Amino acid sequence: MKVSHFLTLLCLSATALGWAQPKLNDSWKDNHLNETLETPLGFLRKEKTNVDKVDYALGVDKNNKIKYIETSSATFKVGTYNLSTKLFDFKNYTYTRYFEGWGYYLRINPSWCAYFGKGKPTKDSRPIFYFNYDFGKAEGKPIFDANYEEVLAAQQKAEKEKAEKKAKEKEAIAKKNAEYEKEKARLEKEKAAKEKAELERKLALQKEADRRKAEEEAKKKAEEEAKRKYAQEVAEYNAKKEAERKAKEEEKKRRSEEFRTGQRVVNTETTDTATSTTSSAPSGALQGGEKLLDNNLKAKIKKSLRDYQSYINKNQKRTEDYPLVLINYKDVMDYPQAELAKIKKIVSTTVFKKGAPRTTDFKEKGANGVVIIKVEF
């Protein structure tokens, strides 16, 4: 590209932007900051302004003329270029220059330049700020020569090799991590399998122990049941034998008493049984010739011995009209009522009618017969 064509393009770009931006050599009368601003050829008074939301720093000389304009606003653009544009993305990057003592810059058009700092830029370097300045004959020196492309290619190759090496290292690390995770999963699986096997073994042992315990308890229960049943059978057998023995003894006593007295002996379990037996028989003589008690006396005996005792006490003048009542061969009148209350069971009742041989043993009280009641206290 010829220099004349390039300058023509720069002029067209400058025409589109120049009207909205501060311009060199314009007058500036404000003096607010009292600061200085470094330019390629020295220091100027610093002033600030904002146009269309873009901040500018102005370098003003002693005559209040704008000699330098600078901006680092992210919204500032020169065509399609901004602060994010890399050096090799500028179409005319080969025009990059170096101004001694100030730094590296690239002129984009007749007005604006991109500043890259005091260190030599690389292909990925981005502008630090944009500035507008008239270098005049003091324009910086070009930095690109025949060796620059080779240096740049070597630099790019080194960066590429570095990136590939880093990618390989990352891949190796990822592979190693994958192997580690795989081995970790295998170990965890083995651990889980061992734990499961151990748990199943413990459950089996517990199940076997529970089974044996249940069998022992069932066996023990069966033995206890057999013992209980055996004890019950023995108790029933003994009770039966005891009942038979008592029945035989009672029968033996009854027969002995009948043989001794020649009178009939009526055995009862309770007073009610005795009285019901006598009351159910017809009035008059029983088998053997005994005379039943009269109804009045039967009623008194049936009521209770204590009541009969009270009856006798109230009717002592008529005592001779009633037979003598003996409790275990002792006159009922000799017992206190508290003693009679202790009677648990009437074993037998024997009635001797008036005039019987047995009544002669009780002449003074037994003129009308004798009733002998055998009881258990």
Side-chain angles (χ1 to χ4, degrees):
M1 179 185 290
K2 295 183 178 180
V3 176
S4 59
H5 292 170
F6 171 67
L7 293 176
T8 301
L9 293 173
L10 293 180
C11 291
L12 292 175
S13 300
T15 302
L17 297 172
W19 64 274
Q21 299 166 345
K23 298 179 181 180
L24 296 180
N25 296 318
D26 283 353
S27 297
W28 190 269
K29 296 182 180 180
D30 296 335
N31 186 2
H32 300 295
L33 298 179
N34 195 25
E35 296 179 6
T36 58
L37 185 64
E38 184 182 6
T39 71
L41 294 175
F43 291 88
L44 296 173
R45 188 176 86 244
K46 182 178 181 180
E47 297 293 343
K48 290 184 177 181
T49 186
N50 183 284
V51 179
D52 294 335
K53 299 182 180 181
V54 177
D55 294 322
Y56 295 95
L58 308 177
V60 182
D61 64 4
K62 295 179 180 179
N63 297 322
N64 292 324
K65 297 291 182 179
I66 298 175
K67 296 297 182 180
Y68 178 84
I69 303 171
E70 176 185 306
T71 178
S72 59
S73 291
T75 57
F76 179 79
K77 289 185 178 181
V78 180
T80 59
Y81 306 139
N82 55 29
L83 293 177
S84 298
T85 305
K86 296 180 181 180
L87 175 60
F88 272 36
D89 290 335
F90 290 95
K91 292 182 179 180
N92 61 330
Y93 73 90
T94 56
Y95 287 87
T96 304
R97 295 177 178 272
Y98 174 69
F99 195 89
E100 187 71 29
W102 192 67
Y104 293 86
Y105 67 95
L106 170 63
R107 180 167 293 281
I108 302 172
N109 58 37
S111 298
W112 289 97
C113 302
Y115 179 74
F116 294 94
K118 296 184 181 296
K120 189 174 182 179
T122 65
K123 65 183 182 67
D124 293 324
S125 297
R126 293 181 173 86
I128 299 174
F129 57 79
Y130 288 88
F131 69 95
N132 187 354
Y133 186 69
D134 184 7
F135 283 90
K137 294 181 179 181
E139 190 80 28
K141 298 179 180 181
I143 65 170
F144 290 100
D145 51 24
N147 294 329
Y148 185 80
E149 295 294 339
E150 296 178 1
V151 172
L152 183 62
Q155 187 180 37
Q156 291 177 337
K157 183 179 179 181
E159 291 177 355
K160 183 179 179 181
E161 291 176 351
K162 183 178 180 181
E164 291 176 350
K165 182 179 179 181
K166 187 174 181 181
K168 288 181 179 180
E169 291 177 351
K170 186 176 181 181
E171 183 180 357
I173 292 174
K175 185 177 180 180
K176 188 174 182 180
N177 289 338
E179 291 176 353
Y180 170 77
E181 292 296 332
K182 184 177 180 181
E183 181 65 14
K184 181 179 178 182
R186 185 186 67 79
L187 293 175
E188 289 178 351
K189 186 176 180 180
E190 289 181 356
K191 182 180 178 181
K194 289 180 180 179
E195 291 177 350
K196 183 180 179 181
E198 181 65 17
L199 179 60
E200 291 177 349
R201 187 183 69 82
K202 290 182 179 180
L203 290 175
L205 291 175
Q206 183 63 37
K207 186 176 180 180
E208 179 65 17
D210 294 341
R211 185 186 66 78
R212 290 181 179 178
K213 184 178 179 181
E215 289 180 352
E216 290 176 357
E217 290 179 351
K219 184 178 179 181
K220 184 178 180 181
K221 186 175 180 180
E223 291 176 352
E224 291 178 351
E225 181 63 20
K227 290 179 180 179
R228 185 194 65 77
K229 188 175 181 181
Y230 176 75
Q232 182 178 359
E233 292 176 353
V234 170
E236 291 176 353
Y237 176 79
N238 291 336
K240 182 179 179 181
K241 290 297 182 182
E242 181 65 18
E244 292 176 353
R245 185 187 65 78
K246 286 185 177 180
K248 289 180 180 181
E249 288 181 356
E250 291 296 329
E251 180 65 17
K252 184 177 180 181
K253 288 181 181 179
R254 187 185 67 79
R255 291 180 180 180
S256 177
E257 187 67 20
E258 288 181 351
F259 177 80
R260 186 175 65 84
T261 60
Q263 302 293 325
R264 182 183 180 190
V265 177
V266 181
N267 293 325
T268 59
E269 292 297 327
T270 62
T271 303
D272 289 342
T273 305
T275 55
S276 63
T277 302
T278 56
S279 62
S280 62
S283 178
L286 294 173
Q287 293 181 5
E290 304 96 326
K291 183 178 180 182
L292 290 175
L293 301 179
D294 58 80
N295 291 332
N296 193 9
L297 180 57
K298 284 193 295 183
K300 294 301 178 182
I301 292 178
K302 184 175 182 180
K303 188 174 183 182
S304 75
L305 291 173
R306 288 177 296 171
D307 289 343
Y308 179 63
Q309 189 184 53
S310 299
Y311 177 82
I312 295 298
N313 286 333
K314 292 179 182 179
N315 300 276
Q316 289 183 1
K317 292 181 179 181
R318 300 175 61 191
T319 302
E320 66 278 3
D321 295 331
Y322 299 92
L324 175 64
V325 177
L326 300 178
I327 305 297
N328 292 351
Y329 300 101
K330 182 179 179 181
D331 191 348
V332 69
M333 299 304 295
D334 294 337
Y335 285 97
Q337 292 198 20
E339 189 70 17
L340 293 177
K342 298 179 181 179
I343 295 175
K344 297 180 181 179
K345 181 180 178 182
I346 296 178
V347 179
S348 66
T349 302
T350 306
V351 179
F352 299 97
K353 64 182 180 178
K354 181 179 179 182
R358 185 65 174 167
T359 60
T360 58
D361 296 335
F362 310 97
K363 296 178 180 180
E364 68 282 2
K365 293 182 179 180
N368 202 27
V370 179
V371 178
I372 300 175
I373 302 174
K374 294 181 181 180
V375 301
E376 291 182 3
F377 287 94

